[in-house]
Amino acid sequence: MNIPVPVQDLPFRSTSLGRSVRARLQFRKSGDKTYLADQHTPHPFHITRPFAISGDPEGMATLYLQSSAGGLYHDDDHHMSVSVEDGACAHVTSQASTIIHNSHQSGSRIDVELTVGANGWLEFCPEPAILFPGARLKSTLTAQVHPTSKLLFCDAQLCHDPQGIGATFNELDNKISLKNEEGETFYVDRAVVRGENWFGATDGRQCAGTFLVYDTGNAALISSALEACIAGFDPSFVYAGQTHLADRSIVVVRLIATSGANLTNAMQALWSAIRVALTGETPMPRRK
């Protein structure tokens, strides 16, 4: 049995002593192909070159985010901006999970900003953040979309106690928001959870995640595909439920899972179900 051991309750703060890093990626369409038109990835960010994968939507570029650091440490403040211009099509994922280390007297921060233009298609699917004992993370994901955009993203966390002594992270402050092309917010999802309350909130499970899709033309079709996919999950390993916000063309799936592998497999199954519904093609898994 896991008996959570609370760590010291400290106010979140960020100082200039940590790493404040801003990275950006900008995808653009040329002919029937999408290419990386602009990028700035200072240490510890690193990227692969974009490449095409058989069976993907026409012209889609796939890019892996990498890190040359061992995760996020106290006072680290990382910002990533991903822009997909009109008609462009991109899949962005990460090579591995991001470890959030003990924050000691402060905290760590991750801000992700996504922008998808008219008829653009963005899949942003990083691996889960791993919250080590004492970690204090403030995470925001903000997406601005056009009525003809397609946006799919994953946001997940994993509570990890490497010594198996019941220690937990300090606090997770997680916010997701969507804005229209005028910058008006039309969806907000925020959760603040203390480490000692994690297993109570997740029914004793190690992992939790959110899988969100925005598509004005196909939201009902996507909802049906995800419902069928969820029905195939074994609830003793992955428990999931979906919400279709028809007035906002949003479909949200929330998951809790017993392990990182089970969570990742479920996320991949949901992504594959959407691809099949929209394109008729089963996507090739992204090797990690």
Side-chain angles (χ1 to χ4, degrees):
M1 172 184 288
N2 283 322
I3 303 175
V5 177
V7 297
Q8 187 177 4
D9 187 8
L10 298 169
F12 182 89
R13 68 177 179 87
S14 181
T15 75
S16 59
L17 297 178
R19 292 174 295 180
S20 181
V21 184
R22 300 182 68 87
R24 69 176 183 272
L25 304 172
Q26 185 175 14
F27 293 92
R28 183 174 297 160
K29 183 178 181 181
S30 177
D32 60 354
K33 303 291 185 182
T34 293
Y35 70 100
L36 187 61
D38 183 42
Q39 62 95 5
H40 178 66
T41 51
H43 174 78
F45 289 101
H46 190 268
I47 59 173
T48 63
R49 65 173 180 83
F51 53 93
I53 295 181
S54 176
D56 278 356
E58 184 179 8
M60 175 174 274
T62 289
L63 182 145
Y64 283 79
L65 295 171
Q66 300 172 316
S67 175
S68 55
L72 266 72
Y73 298 84
H74 63 92
D75 287 327
D76 276 355
D77 184 355
H78 291 182
H79 181 277
M80 166 63 73
S81 172
V82 181
S83 174
V84 173
E85 296 185 359
D86 295 354
C89 189
H91 178 99
V92 178
T93 186
S94 60
Q95 184 180 23
S97 293
T98 298
I99 296 174
I100 314 300
H101 293 277
N102 192 323
S103 299
H104 299 290
Q105 300 297 315
S106 56
S108 305
R109 184 177 184 121
I110 301 175
D111 292 318
V112 176
E113 183 178 352
L114 310 176
T115 305
V116 191
N119 298 306
W121 185 333
L122 173 60
E123 298 175 348
F124 186 77
C125 303
E127 293 295 308
I130 302 178
L131 303 171
F132 269 48
R136 190 177 181 92
L137 175 65
K138 185 169 186 177
S139 174
T140 65
L141 189 153
T142 304
Q144 185 167 13
V145 294
H146 185 275
T148 59
S149 301
K150 285 180 171 60
L151 171 66
L152 177 160
F153 66 77
C154 308
D155 183 56
Q157 298 81 33
L158 184 157
C159 180
H160 184 52
D161 174 21
Q163 294 184 335
I165 59 174
T168 66
F169 62 92
N170 189 312
E171 184 179 85
L172 171 67
D173 183 343
N174 195 69
K175 181 181 179 181
I176 297 169
S177 59
L178 268 64
K179 299 180 180 181
N180 61 23
E181 57 184 331
E182 288 80 30
E184 300 168 333
T185 300
F186 65 95
Y187 176 84
V188 175
D189 180 356
R190 186 176 185 188
V192 180
V193 59
R194 298 284 303 170
E196 60 264 31
N197 298 326
W198 177 266
F199 290 104
T202 62
D203 192 30
R205 304 186 189 217
Q206 185 183 20
C207 311
T210 298
F211 187 95
L212 186 146
V213 187
Y214 169 84
D215 187 336
T216 56
N218 300 287
L221 173 66
I222 290 169
S223 177
S224 297
L226 293 179
E227 191 68 35
C229 181
I230 290 169
F233 294 164
D234 183 342
S236 61
F237 297 106
V238 177
Y239 188 82
Q242 73 139 322
T243 302
H244 178 199
L245 303 175
D247 60 327
R248 283 166 278 184
S249 303
I250 294 172
V251 183
V252 183
V253 178
R254 301 182 189 281
L255 312 92
I256 51 176
T258 53
S259 70
N262 289 331
L263 178 67
T264 297
N265 289 338
M267 291 286 199
Q268 290 179 349
L270 294 170
W271 167 65
S272 180
I274 292 173
R275 281 286 197 90
V276 171
L278 293 179
T279 70
E281 295 275 352
T282 300
M284 291 182 61
R286 270 41 180 179
R287 291 187 173 185
K288 304 291 178 73

